[in-house]
Amino acid sequence: MTNIEKKFPRIIVVTSGKGGVGKTTVTANLGISIAQLGHKVALIDADVGLRNLDLILGLEHKIFFNAIDVLEGTCGLNQALIIDNRFKNLAFLSLAKKKQRYNFTFKIMENLMEAIASYGFEFILIDCPAGVDIGFINAISAAKEAILVATPQITSIRDADRVASLLQINGIYDFKILINGIRSSFIRNKHLIPVKDVQKMLCAPLIGAIPEDKEVLLSINKGEPLVLNKNLSISGLAFENAARYYLGKDDYLLDVENYLFTSFYKLKRSF
């Protein structure tokens, strides 16, 4: 066992391969949900040049430094880590900003994660850039777990399957699926692939399914993640349920295909 495995918290990369599947929204809402359960969480935006996680979190006006500034000695890590005023146990870090370029090698990412871990974070969620190029490789290099985000469309599933193979090639065997953008009427009319079929096609444990919801778009534009709403929409509830299930605190997943708050289906726990 290496030092990184001994001392690091759970480092989880949230990835998809294909862009536009809601990966950043998933990172924000899962991260906040885990923080709401009492854990200390760091959210890392690894999309160099196209960061959006700060917007979804509503922290864009608080970002003055990033990881490159830390590496170049411009500031300390404590200055680049932005603590969310809503949760003292939730922090955000951007790897870089627009037009900055830096070669984030495995060793640099490993050292960065070790430095973040020294602040006592139990979970580090890394929002992975779209695609499977060097940005993807850098983002996953220090992770030990992955959440693979897909929509119930064949193109998204094919891309997710490719990413699943790349995760395993790079030593990440512990990955689970979160299906986003569920439209129950489309599934009933066979225009989209059912949740259970997506899980079978990707051959990995399912931690949750998030329905398409107008509240998602509103929350993004306002910089207020769904799970912070006092009156949770079905999507907000599904995100909370997915976080609880991922942490082993719930044996059931919401049956979002039927949009029934009282209906659940039980899946065999795979972790």
Side-chain angles (χ1 to χ4, degrees):
M1 183 178 292
T2 65
N3 289 335
I4 189 170
E5 292 172 321
K6 287 179 180 178
K7 65 189 298 185
F8 270 26
R10 292 179 66 174
I11 305 177
I12 306 157
V13 63
V14 182
T15 185
S16 64
K18 181 180 178 63
V21 300
K23 173 174 45 58
T24 301
T25 300
V26 168
T27 305
N29 283 280
L30 283 185
I32 290 175
S33 295
I34 294 172
Q36 287 178 319
L37 290 169
H39 300 283
K40 193 171 183 179
V41 180
L43 302 180
I44 313 299
D45 192 335
D47 196 342
V48 176
L50 292 173
R51 75 181 194 209
N52 285 312
L53 184 55
D54 59 322
L55 290 171
I56 293 177
L57 292 170
L59 298 175
E60 68 274 18
H61 299 304
K62 296 187 177 182
I63 310 302
F64 298 102
F65 300 109
N66 55 57
I68 289 181
D69 295 320
V70 176
L71 294 170
E72 293 179 344
T74 304
C75 69
L77 181 58
N78 62 320
Q79 294 172 284
L81 274 170
I82 306 302
I83 304 300
D84 194 317
N85 291 334
R86 296 162 294 192
F87 303 97
K88 298 302 181 183
N89 57 334
L90 179 69
F92 168 80
L93 174 69
S94 175
L95 285 194
K97 62 184 177 183
K98 190 176 181 181
K99 296 183 180 180
Q100 278 185 311
R101 293 291 181 267
Y102 201 96
N103 182 20
F104 281 93
T105 64
F106 171 79
K107 188 62 179 176
I108 290 174
M109 287 295 291
E110 183 182 71
N111 290 341
L112 182 60
M113 294 301 110
E114 184 173 3
I116 294 171
S118 69
Y119 283 76
F121 290 102
E122 300 170 75
F123 292 86
I124 300 175
L125 272 66
I126 303 171
D127 184 20
C128 186
V132 292
D133 57 11
I134 188 63
F136 167 82
I137 297 300
N138 288 335
I140 71 172
S141 62
K144 296 300 178 185
E145 304 175 44
I147 294 174
L148 188 55
V149 182
T151 59
Q153 301 169 345
I154 191 62
T155 53
S156 175
I157 296 168
R158 182 172 67 176
D159 289 345
D161 187 54
R162 170 62 175 154
V163 169
S165 298
L166 292 174
L167 289 172
Q168 294 178 80
I169 290 171
N170 286 274
I172 301 177
Y173 302 101
D174 184 357
F175 62 90
K176 299 174 178 67
I177 306 165
L178 188 143
I179 304 173
N180 199 22
I182 302 295
R183 299 182 68 176
S184 57
S185 60
F186 276 43
I187 289 175
R188 285 195 293 270
N189 293 326
K190 299 183 179 180
H191 297 312
L192 292 176
I193 301 170
V195 169
K196 290 184 178 180
D197 289 346
V198 176
Q199 182 186 11
K200 289 178 182 178
M201 293 169 74
L202 294 176
C203 302
L206 178 71
I207 65 164
I210 314 299
E212 188 175 83
D213 184 349
K214 67 178 182 180
E215 294 297 326
V216 175
L217 180 59
L218 293 175
S219 74
I220 292 172
N221 288 335
K222 292 190 296 184
E224 298 176 0
L226 284 168
V227 294
L228 293 182
N229 292 341
K230 291 183 179 179
N231 298 316
L232 284 179
S233 66
I234 180 65
S235 295
L237 186 62
F239 273 122
E240 284 196 347
N241 183 246
R244 291 184 61 85
Y245 192 78
Y246 189 68
L247 299 185
K249 295 180 179 293
D250 204 330
D251 290 328
Y252 297 89
L253 293 177
L254 289 172
D255 183 5
V256 298
E257 286 181 348
N258 294 316
Y259 278 63
L260 296 177
F261 287 87
T262 57
S263 178
F264 299 83
Y265 59 90
K266 191 168 185 177
L267 296 178
K268 182 179 179 182
R269 188 177 302 287
S270 301
F271 55 96

